[in-house]
């Protein structure tokens, strides 16, 4: 029986996770072998301190084996019923939302698809998928956030600093919260925002989105009613 869309996404993500688990385990084994040959003559098991270090290493090795086996077992199980979905609004059960998403994809109703990092699609393929009912934020390792399309007010590409390293993200203003999806390719995320504007109207098109995004984000947090009033005013002038 053919897998539906969400099952396929989960299967691909689980395959990547298994490769990651195995890679980490192989790396640990290689490091362990190297350390063994480098230090095999330096330890005296009759010395309590050396004995404790050796036992500690065995404990770490056992833990690595256990974690790897557990990870491989968990990622070998099929994911059904929308269990890989995150629903920020909890508007329905995951199973019901999964049914809608799978049906729309099966019917070829994908309105837009864009990769967050165009220069690294093969290695790091976080992407955005727009359907008639939902905007999907699909992570490389399997998490999928499903945002009801009617809950979205506005979105834009945002670049800057926030008390730490440089960030690039797709910022999404929705009915009750501001959501974001991180990337690392500035031009690609701007292209995604422009692509989504074909289906989700850019009600703030007369403003610079980069500058406006910061003030709107602050307004949304501090004065939701003020944000909504400004949004409705601009929407009435744009549409």
């Amino acid at each position: 029986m053919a897998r539906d869309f969400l099952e396929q996404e989960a299967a691909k993500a689980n395959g990547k996770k298994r490769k990651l688990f195995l890679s980490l385990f192989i790396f640990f084994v290689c490091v362990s072998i190297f350390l063994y040959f480098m230090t095999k003559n330096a330890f005296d098991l009759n010395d309590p301190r050396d004995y404790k270090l050796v036992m500690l290493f065995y404990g770490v090795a056992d833990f690595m084996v256990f974690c790897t086996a557990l990870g491989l077992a968990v990622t070998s199980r099929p994911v059904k019923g929308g269990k890989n979905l995150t629903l920020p609004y909890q508007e329905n059960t995951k199973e019901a939302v999964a049914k809608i998403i799978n049906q729309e994809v099966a019917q070829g109703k994908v309105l837009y698809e864009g990769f967050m990092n165009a220069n690294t699609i093969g290695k790091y393929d976080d992407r955005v998928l727009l359907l008639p009912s939902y905007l999907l934020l699909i992570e490389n390792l399997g998490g999928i956030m499903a945002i009801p399309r009617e809950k979205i007010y506005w979105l834009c590409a945002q670049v800057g600093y926030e008390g730490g390293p440089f960030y690039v993200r797709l910022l999404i203003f929705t009915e009750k919260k501001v959501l974001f999806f991180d990337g690392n390719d500035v031009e690609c995320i701007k292209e995604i925002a422009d692509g989504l504007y074909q289906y989700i109207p850019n009600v703030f098109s007369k403003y610079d989105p980069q500058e406006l995004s910061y003030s709107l984000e602050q307004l949304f947090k501090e004065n939701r009613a003020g944000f909504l009033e400004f949004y409705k005013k601009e929407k009435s002038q744009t549409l």
Side-chain angles (χ1 to χ4, degrees):
M1 183 177 178
R3 290 171 172 167
D4 57 35
F5 171 72
L6 290 177
E7 283 187 58
Q8 290 176 7
E9 290 298 314
K12 287 192 294 184
N14 282 340
K16 293 174 184 177
K17 290 176 183 177
R18 285 194 293 274
K19 288 181 180 178
L20 178 61
F21 289 137
L22 288 173
S23 297
L24 290 174
F25 183 72
I26 291 171
F27 175 76
F28 174 77
V29 171
C30 292
V31 171
S32 298
I33 292 173
F34 173 77
L35 290 176
Y36 170 76
F37 284 107
M38 292 294 294
T39 62
K40 63 179 181 178
N41 296 322
F43 285 95
D44 180 6
L45 294 181
N46 293 319
D47 186 325
R49 289 176 298 180
D50 288 353
Y51 182 79
K52 285 183 180 180
L53 287 175
V54 172
M55 289 300 102
L56 177 62
F57 170 77
Y58 281 132
V60 172
D62 288 342
F63 180 73
M64 282 294 298
V65 171
F66 171 77
C67 289
T68 302
L70 180 62
L72 293 176
V74 170
T75 54
S76 296
R77 299 171 58 186
V79 178
K80 297 183 178 181
K83 291 181 179 179
N84 52 338
L85 289 175
T86 298
L87 306 179
Y89 279 92
Q90 300 293 325
E91 72 284 358
N92 210 329
T93 64
K94 288 187 176 183
E95 188 173 0
V97 173
K99 185 176 181 180
I100 294 171
I101 292 172
N102 289 328
Q103 185 176 32
E104 290 184 347
V105 173
Q107 292 173 350
K109 293 182 178 180
V110 175
L111 302 176
Y112 179 81
E113 181 177 27
F115 287 85
M116 296 292 286
N117 306 284
N119 296 326
T120 54
I121 288 177
K123 299 178 181 178
Y124 185 77
D125 55 359
D126 286 6
R127 69 190 197 278
V128 171
L129 197 73
L130 181 65
L131 302 172
S133 301
Y134 288 91
L135 174 65
L136 304 182
L137 309 181
I138 304 174
E139 296 179 350
N140 183 50
L141 291 179
I144 301 177
M145 181 178 290
I147 307 171
R149 191 173 165 188
E150 72 274 7
K151 303 288 187 183
I152 299 173
Y153 289 144
W154 186 61
L155 53 84
C156 69
Q158 189 184 67
V159 181
Y161 296 86
E162 189 177 25
F166 178 78
Y167 65 82
V168 181
R169 62 190 184 185
L170 183 68
L171 196 67
I172 305 166
F173 291 84
T174 69
E175 192 175 275
K176 294 182 179 179
K177 57 190 77 176
V178 178
L179 305 169
F180 59 87
F181 197 27
D182 288 324
N184 59 33
D185 190 321
V186 177
E187 293 304 319
C188 184
I189 295 183
K190 287 182 178 179
E191 183 179 326
I192 287 175
D194 289 339
L196 291 173
Y197 288 150
Q198 300 176 51
Y199 307 96
I200 301 173
N202 182 7
V203 297
F204 301 120
S205 57
K206 66 182 181 182
Y207 300 94
D208 181 288
Q210 177 65 19
E211 295 181 4
L212 182 65
S213 64
Y214 293 105
S215 56
L216 277 187
E217 191 175 6
Q218 191 68 25
L219 180 63
F220 189 95
K221 292 177 181 177
E222 297 177 356
N223 184 1
R224 190 76 54 82
F227 169 87
L228 194 57
E229 182 181 352
F230 179 57
Y231 168 78
K232 289 180 177 179
K233 176 184 175 182
E234 294 298 322
K235 183 178 180 181
S236 65
Q237 295 175 0
T238 304
L239 302 181

